[in-house]
């Protein structure tokens, strides 16, 4: 079986089309409104030739359930609103201080390869973290991006401790993607305690600020845009 590390991370367009739009939403974005917007934009990309879009948002505190979510992983169902997201994956948390990037790309312009697309999203996150000298790593059995924590006690089985810094959850409709990635810049990490994040127990979560880096959301957005262009191609829209 092909390993994700063996897949070419670049996911550049192979056919002509409008440039990817890069948009940053101010304030906190209502989650239901975000779902409706993504549905409409994904349809417009396929049927009307609308530009692909990367939409950067922050949400008020909430939990989302992916299509594989196990109700037992929702440990505190009354803590925050819970939304059925319709994306792949399990439970995750969104809230202030977390950069959510919704990625609406036409895979017919790139590669009709879901595994390669997920690898490209991971590569994008890893490249953005590297700009702050953070080594993000992928795990073959765990989608997302992880950071080794040698400063923490080892795991019960003796392996080095590691924390999750970014989650990935996508959906495809007629080969147009929506949903995307969530990277912890400076969220309240205690809010992850109401769920088993992504159904993976026994590991912690971290953020850039938790790692001791005084990174602002604006700082991270600049790094995220530069890394995106390395993996997916040029975008239009200022940070």
């Amino acid at each position: 079986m092909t390993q994700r590390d063996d897949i070419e991370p670049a996911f550049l367009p192979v056919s002509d089309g409008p440039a990817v739009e890069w948009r940053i939403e101010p304030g906190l974005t209502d989650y239901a409104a975000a779902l409706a917007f993504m549905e409409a934009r994904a349809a417009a990309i396929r049927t009307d030739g609308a530009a692909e879009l990367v939409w950067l948002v922050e949400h008020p505190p909430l939990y989302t359930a992916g299509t594989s979510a196990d109700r037992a992983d929702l440990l505190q169902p009354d803590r925050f609103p819970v939304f059925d997201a319709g994306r792949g994956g399990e439970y995750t948390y969104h809230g202030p201080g977390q950069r959510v990037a919704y990625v609406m790309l036409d895979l017919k312009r790139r590669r009709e390869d879901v595994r390669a697309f997920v690898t490209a999203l991971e590569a994008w996150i890893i490249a953005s973290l590297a700009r702050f000298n953070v080594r993000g790593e992928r795990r073959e059995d765990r989608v997302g991006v992880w950071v080794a924590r040698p400063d923490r006690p080892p795991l019960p089985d003796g392996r080095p401790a590691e924390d999750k810094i970014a989650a990935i959850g996508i959906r495809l409709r007629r080969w147009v993607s929506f949903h995307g990635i969530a990277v912890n810049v400076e969220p309240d990490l205690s809010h992850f305690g109401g769920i088993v994040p992504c159904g993976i127990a026994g590991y912690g979560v971290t953020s850039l600020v938790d790692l001791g880096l005084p990174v602002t959301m604006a700082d991270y957005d600049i790094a995220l845009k530069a890394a995106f262009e390395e993996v997916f191609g040029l975008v239009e829209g200022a940070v």
Side-chain angles (χ1 to χ4, degrees):
M1 180 182 295
T2 301
Q3 305 294 301
R4 292 208 303 278
D5 285 335
D6 297 330
I7 298 175
E8 166 59 47
F11 213 75
L12 301 171
V14 295
S15 62
D16 292 335
V20 178
E21 180 184 353
W22 185 270
R23 183 186 303 179
I24 301 176
E25 196 72 25
L28 300 180
T29 300
D30 176 78
Y31 191 75
L35 288 179
F37 176 86
M38 284 191 287
E39 292 268 1
R41 184 60 174 254
I45 289 170
R46 172 57 60 234
T47 61
D48 301 330
E52 298 172 301
L53 172 66
V54 177
W55 186 33
L56 275 55
V57 307
E58 290 178 80
H59 290 300
L62 57 90
Y63 298 128
T64 69
T67 54
S68 301
D70 182 342
R71 180 71 181 182
D73 290 338
L74 182 59
L75 306 178
Q76 299 175 10
D78 299 324
R79 186 169 183 176
F80 298 124
V82 182
F83 293 87
D84 289 327
R87 55 161 174 79
E90 304 186 45
Y91 283 105
T92 195
Y93 165 76
H94 295 317
Q98 182 189 72
R99 176 49 85 206
V100 176
Y102 291 129
V103 184
M104 287 151 271
L105 298 181
D106 183 357
L107 271 60
K108 286 184 176 291
R109 289 187 61 208
R110 298 166 183 274
R111 271 183 281 169
E112 295 178 28
D113 187 329
V114 178
R115 191 174 181 84
F117 180 49
V118 171
T119 296
L121 293 173
E122 291 172 334
W124 174 29
I125 297 167
I126 289 168
S128 71
L129 297 174
R131 285 166 164 77
F132 303 100
N133 296 315
V134 173
R135 181 182 173 84
E137 300 177 346
R138 57 170 58 94
R139 295 289 179 262
E140 189 60 32
D141 59 338
R142 289 179 262 133
V143 172
V145 175
W146 299 78
V147 176
R149 300 301 303 268
D151 54 317
R152 300 276 179 86
L155 298 173
D157 61 5
R159 288 178 296 143
E162 56 186 17
D163 291 341
K164 192 169 189 176
I165 195 168
I168 297 172
I170 62 168
R171 185 174 181 181
L172 295 177
R173 180 173 296 145
R174 298 174 65 191
W175 289 107
V176 177
S177 69
F178 50 115
H179 296 279
I181 68 171
V183 183
N184 298 330
V185 178
E186 192 181 6
D188 184 336
L189 296 178
S190 71
H191 290 175
F192 285 89
I195 56 172
V196 178
C198 300
I200 302 171
Y203 297 92
V205 290
T206 191
S207 68
L208 287 168
V209 171
D210 181 57
L211 293 171
L213 300 168
V215 178
T216 68
M217 192 66 75
D219 294 332
Y220 184 66
D221 287 347
I222 292 169
L224 195 63
K225 183 179 181 182
F228 181 90
E229 292 186 326
E230 292 175 358
V231 178
F232 294 97
L234 295 177
V235 301
E236 289 187 349
V239 171

